[in-house]
């Protein structure tokens, strides 16, 4: 992906920036790979005093971005964008492959969650935006 797509985007953006009147604008962008095929599952443990813990699905909008779940030095996170009533919630994995836009992780996570509501054929959220 990096060798072909990101390099091609950088070439296009450099040509666009050279065509502007100022010629000194540099286009910045963030390239995120999205994968909905993952074997990772997350559960929320709730417990009442004197009762055994109850495992349930995390709420929609839950983001997991701990260092234990990331690839080496590549920023990544998991997002559960849908409410699941039956079965287990399957998170979507987001991996930031290129980031010259310097978007903060919280803004990128919120943007990813909000984009899951913009599908034209459904008023609810979708699994991967």
């Amino acid at each position: 992906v990096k060798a072909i797509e990101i390099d091609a985007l950088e070439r296009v953006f450099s040509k666009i920036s050279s065509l502007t009147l100022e010629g000194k604008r540099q286009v910045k962008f963030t390239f995120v790979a999205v994968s909905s095929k993952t074997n990772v599952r997350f559960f929320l443990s709730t417990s009442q005093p004197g009762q055994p813990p109850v495992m349930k699905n995390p709420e929609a909008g839950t983001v997991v971005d701990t260092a234990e779940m990331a690839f080496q030095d590549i920023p990544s996170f998991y997002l559960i964008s849908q409410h699941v009533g039956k079965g287990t919630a399957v998170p979507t994995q987001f991996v930031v492959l290129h980031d010259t836009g310097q978007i903060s992780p919280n803004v990128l996570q919120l943007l990813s969650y909000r984009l899951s509501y913009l599908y034209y054929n459904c008023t609810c959220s979708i699994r991967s935006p």
Side-chain angles (χ1 to χ4, degrees):
V1 171
K2 183 167 179 57
I4 297 172
E5 294 179 14
I6 294 176
D7 290 341
L9 283 172
E10 286 179 332
R11 285 193 305 270
V12 168
F13 289 150
S14 68
K15 287 183 181 180
I16 289 172
S17 65
S18 67
L19 295 176
T20 62
L21 296 175
E22 298 169 10
K24 296 181 181 179
R25 284 192 178 165
Q26 182 180 359
V27 178
K28 299 178 181 181
F29 68 98
T30 301
F31 192 93
V32 180
V34 180
S35 174
S36 59
K37 306 264 191 267
T38 179
N39 292 329
V40 177
R41 301 292 185 267
F42 300 108
F43 298 97
L44 180 63
S45 176
T46 59
S47 61
Q48 301 287 336
Q51 294 182 357
V54 177
M55 303 298 280
K56 65 177 194 172
N57 284 319
E59 297 293 324
T62 300
V63 173
V64 178
D65 65 349
T66 60
E68 292 86 15
M69 299 302 295
F71 297 113
Q72 298 94 9
D73 295 340
I74 302 172
S76 64
F77 62 94
Y78 290 91
L79 170 68
I80 297 175
S81 59
Q82 291 181 312
H83 171 74
V84 178
K86 288 184 177 181
T88 59
V90 179
T92 304
Q93 182 181 25
F94 294 81
V95 180
V96 180
L97 298 177
H98 184 81
D99 186 19
T100 55
Q102 300 299 319
I103 298 175
S104 71
N106 291 339
V107 171
L108 185 60
Q109 292 162 3
L110 182 62
L111 175 65
S112 301
Y113 178 61
R114 298 270 172 94
L115 285 175
S116 69
Y117 282 93
L118 294 179
Y119 188 63
Y120 72 95
N121 205 18
C122 181
T123 58
C124 58
S125 66
I126 59 171
R127 191 164 153 206
S128 58

